[in-house]
Amino acid sequence: MHSNIKLGKISGIEIGLHYSWFIIAALIAFSLSEHFRQVNRNWGTSQIWIVALLTAVLFFVTLLLHELSHSLVAQARGLKVTAITLFALGGVSQIESDAPDAKTEFWVAIAGPIASLIIGFGCLALAVGLGWQRPGEPRTGPTSVLVWLGYINVALGAFNLIPGFPLDGGRVLRSIVWAITKNADRSTRIAARIGQVVAFLFIFDGIWQFFSGAGFGGLWIAFIGWFLMDAAKSSYAQVEITAAFRGVRVSELMSRHCVTVNCSTSLQEFVDTCLLTTGQRCFAVVDQDRLAGLITPRDVGAIPRESWDSTTVGEAMRPLEELHIITPDTPVLDALRLMAGKDVNQLPVVANGSLQGIVSRSELMQVLHARSELQLPVAHHPNRGQVTAR
Ligand SMILES: [Zn+2]
């Protein structure tokens, strides 16, 4: 999530807005103005809009305070925070590294909900001080703003404490399990499993309420449950991958039997003799024994079929300059992160300008699959083969 509009820096942290923020801010302002129109019939149009817009803006200020609490605690405990981005569904803090210990994880995670709860109860108390009669509808502009902000922040703080990844509560739970078990991977697995149970309860409760006549509200709860379920599953998968490949280098798992093709070969010949006969998905293109680029079925598909005879592999390939190259010493986890970040499925492994092999996401996942089937650690014996020239 990258910000489109930069607002400035706080404590060295870049604060930004994503475009989607404007959509949700407008929605909040519209629904608030409609609400104020109905409950305060003596208010003029301009008063309604000023209060509605002010509430919407202040809501995002309180969201920013929630994120800042995470970030500032992270900074205080030595983690590097680069940016906070506000978007349609809230905010994200870009914290460069994972928490090194359970205590740090706990304080960074709980700082946000604590901030929201303090802001929420503070706003409600201030509203009471300004003459708001609980639990009735506030009558003045300032109390209307404060009561709405108060309730939404208390709800936000409480919602974020639900022990399901990736909510703050999931991280708090993980840090507690981590402190008890002294095992970071195991604590993530346990926290993710508990997150799935919580998510299931949400879905069950939502569907139950829907059939008991709660209508849309019930479906909304079920939807939140489904979102939590999905998030818990992916964090579980993530920890499996991290645990399996920790400390493993690309050279141990790359495929060395990489078929190469000369850049002057025509696409038609390449398709007939390589693509359709080897079952491989990725081919190294060489120009006088030097790696020039990679070609995959995707690149071939981008060229119209009638031009395959007149186009060379060199023209259709992705040239070396556009590829992200790794060395045999690159950790597998870094390679996976790079593939995900650049949205590619394979990376050429190059040492001293010559191709050593190729790592592909699907092959790494197969290694992971084989490992979990046999309940073994990832093999540490590199397959000794040579790049086969063609
Ligand atoms: Zn948070």
Side-chain angles (χ1 to χ4, degrees):
M1 179 68 58
H2 288 282
S3 58
N4 304 112
I5 297 165
K6 308 240 181 290
L7 298 177
K9 278 188 173 184
I10 298 176
S11 179
I13 304 165
E14 193 99 50
I15 313 291
L17 282 182
H18 184 259
Y19 286 144
S20 60
W21 177 86
F22 288 98
I23 300 167
I24 209 76
L27 268 177
I28 291 175
F30 269 110
S31 66
L32 276 173
S33 69
E34 204 44 52
H35 172 75
F36 292 143
R37 207 186 307 280
Q38 277 170 16
V39 296
N40 296 309
R41 296 196 177 274
N42 53 332
W43 286 14
T45 308
S46 59
Q47 184 181 6
I48 285 171
W49 275 105
I50 288 168
V51 174
L53 284 173
L54 190 68
T55 312
V57 169
L58 284 176
F59 170 54
F60 281 94
V61 172
T62 61
L63 270 187
L64 180 60
L65 289 173
H66 174 109
E67 283 312 316
L68 261 182
S69 312
H70 287 305
S71 296
L72 292 178
V73 171
Q75 263 189 348
R77 297 197 66 99
L79 297 175
K80 198 165 171 273
V81 186
T82 47
I84 292 175
T85 305
L86 295 176
F87 69 111
L89 298 173
V92 272
S93 301
Q94 269 140 35
I95 300 176
E96 293 260 286
S97 45
D98 287 335
D101 54 84
K103 218 172 165 183
T104 302
E105 169 108 339
F106 177 82
W107 288 113
V108 171
I110 206 157
I114 287 179
S116 291
L117 291 175
I118 290 175
I119 294 166
F121 285 116
C123 285
L124 292 177
L126 208 57
V128 171
L130 289 173
W132 170 49
Q133 311 257 302
R134 269 187 325 134
E137 210 39 75
R139 292 292 159 205
T140 67
T143 51
S144 297
V145 174
L146 286 168
V147 168
W148 194 85
L149 284 178
Y151 278 136
I152 200 89
N153 273 287
V154 169
L156 215 78
F159 177 71
N160 266 297
L161 282 175
I162 294 168
F165 269 129
L167 296 176
D168 297 332
R171 294 180 195 284
V172 170
L173 175 71
R174 173 175 182 258
S175 69
I176 294 170
V177 180
W178 187 0
I180 295 169
T181 62
K182 311 264 186 269
N183 183 326
D185 290 337
R186 228 181 116 206
S187 67
T188 310
R189 283 194 195 101
I190 293 170
R193 282 280 179 253
I194 295 174
Q196 281 177 327
V197 173
V198 171
F200 179 75
L201 291 176
F202 262 80
I203 295 173
F204 184 77
D205 179 59
I207 292 172
W208 182 268
Q209 287 201 30
F210 177 73
F211 284 111
S212 315
F216 186 70
L219 282 187
W220 181 241
I221 292 170
F223 174 75
I224 291 172
W226 173 75
F227 162 77
L228 291 176
M229 182 72 85
D230 206 46
K233 262 191 203 147
S234 67
S235 50
Y236 192 88
Q238 191 55 46
V239 73
E240 289 300 315
I241 291 170
T242 311
F245 291 129
R246 184 176 290 128
V248 180
R249 310 251 158 214
V250 157
S251 59
E252 295 173 53
L253 294 176
M254 67 187 183
S255 134
R256 287 157 196 267
H257 305 282
C258 179
V259 180
T260 60
V261 52
N262 202 290
C263 67
S264 58
T265 313
S266 79
L267 269 190
Q268 188 65 56
E269 193 190 336
F270 166 66
V271 170
D272 292 341
T273 61
C274 301
L275 204 55
L276 296 179
T277 55
T278 61
Q280 268 193 308
R281 308 267 316 152
C282 183
F283 298 83
V285 183
V286 289
D287 183 6
Q288 290 168 347
D289 290 338
R290 285 187 61 85
L291 178 67
L294 287 185
I295 187 158
T296 64
R298 213 202 280 181
D299 303 315
V300 177
I303 307 283
R305 201 175 204 137
E306 54 276 14
S307 318
W308 283 3
D309 259 327
S310 56
T311 310
T312 66
V313 165
E315 288 162 337
M317 71 177 185
R318 254 167 309 150
L320 201 55
E321 306 86 71
E322 287 176 27
L323 297 173
H324 305 278
I325 290 166
I326 53 173
T327 67
D329 285 337
T330 307
V332 170
L333 286 173
D334 288 358
L336 277 170
R337 218 167 286 146
L338 189 63
M339 282 190 264
K342 304 294 177 192
D343 195 29
V344 291
N345 292 312
Q346 55 271 313
L347 293 169
V349 185
V350 176
N352 303 323
S354 72
L355 183 72
Q356 305 293 305
I358 284 181
V359 281
S360 72
R361 214 190 318 221
S362 58
E363 276 180 9
L364 290 178
M365 290 309 118
Q366 278 165 15
V367 169
L368 195 68
H369 194 71
R371 169 193 176 270
S372 70
E373 241 169 46
L374 299 173
Q375 304 193 322
L376 288 174
V378 170
H380 278 252
H381 310 290
N383 48 335
R384 292 182 212 291
Q386 291 297 315
V387 175
T388 48
R390 183 155 191 150

